[in-house]
Amino acid sequence: MTEPVTSDAHSTVIEKLSLLDRFLPVWIGIAMAAGLLLGRLVPGLDTALNLVQLDGISLPIALGLLIMMYPVLAKVRYDRLDAVTGDRKLLLSSLVLNWVIGPALMFALAWLLLPDLPEYRTGLIIVGLARCIAMVIIWNDLACGDREAAAVLVALNSVFQVIMFAVLGWFYLSVLPGWLGWEQATISTSPWQIAKSVLIFLGIPLLAGYLSRRLGEKVRGRTWYDSTFLPKVGPWALYGLLFTIVILFALQGEQITSRPLDVIRIALPLLVYFAVMWGGGYLLGASVGLGYERTTTLAFTAAGNNFELAIAVAIATYGATSGQALAGVVGPLIEVPVLVALVYVSLALRRRFTPNNPATMLTDRSPR
């Protein structure tokens, strides 16, 4: 029987982190504070940032997301994807967590903790329907999860998002509350709107990452690609993440800082949601024997949400200054620091797993 990863191995993982990675919570905190201050201190900044949009998202945020996702998707070994698509336990577990448990849990928490705030409650339910296809790739990579599994699960979520988002929105906002005799709501979206979002924010960086690996390995070889090219482009994932956070919080800084009590009310169900979904993903992955890397990927893809889509739908349906839009904005305010903390919890839990291939635990899957 293979020995579990020891504390020395875990320490080696932490030591391999670059300065940027090691102090990531500090940089994210600074980025969030900088964005909030910019939004409060620079009049008209939100208007200027929203002058040009890509699929309803401010162009600077869209560029930040694309820059953030490309380096991680360039690291994916696309010749290994068949090993992931054949893992039925992983795929089925992800579908159940993301499309059965996740939306139902957020619906229950929203009604339980915000019964007197219908706008925020509706906004949170919309957040619960929007499964993550962007930032989860960063959290998974930092926690040394399975990159190929992350790519497959994100693609799977994208397909289901196009098919199921509007249907589940109708069910959880109108049908189920009607059955229970509660207040009903609606959303305004279409499968094509969601498909456009998926094609832009996942399709473009996924295609760029795939072509980079194929062409890079063909022209210069795999050794050059992995040892020279990837280390140069890798840090741009976190640069894009920090840039996105600054712009996102600058756009909504005034709303967040002017309504602190509302933010706290919205934050409580989100905190419970992220903890339950991430913990549930870990317990499920460990119980079915997925191993550390795929269990980590399962947990982060279950806990993360597509706040870009949730905000866009809330604004399109209820307006930019609505309570529903504010609930969407508070999503990343809570999600970012919580999931960063869970990255470090994951790395601490790593020693409790028995690796399938000990030689790759410290090399092939190191964060940088």
Side-chain angles (χ1 to χ4, degrees), residues 114-126 173 183 185 259 262 266 314 318 321-328:
L114 300 174
D116 56 328
L117 299 171
E119 290 189 359
Y120 298 154
R121 185 177 63 234
T122 298
L124 284 182
I125 292 172
I126 293 172
L173 291 174
E183 184 178 351
R259 300 156 82 175
D262 290 353
I266 297 168
Y318 304 103
T321 60
S322 65
Q324 291 87 343
L326 178 62

Side-chain angles (χ1 to χ4, degrees), residues 13 16 147 350 358-368:
V13 172
K16 283 178 174 285
R147 291 177 188 137
R350 196 179 193 191
T360 66
M361 291 295 288
L362 300 179
T363 55
D364 189 48
R365 294 296 171 188
S366 57
R368 291 283 160 259

Side-chain angles (χ1 to χ4, degrees), residues 55 158 161-166 189-199 309 313:
D55 194 42
S158 299
Q161 201 149 248
V162 172
I163 299 171
M164 298 301 297
F165 185 90
T189 188
S190 70
W192 171 236
Q193 286 177 299
I194 300 167
K196 282 195 301 178
S197 177
V198 168
L199 288 172
L309 175 61
V313 170

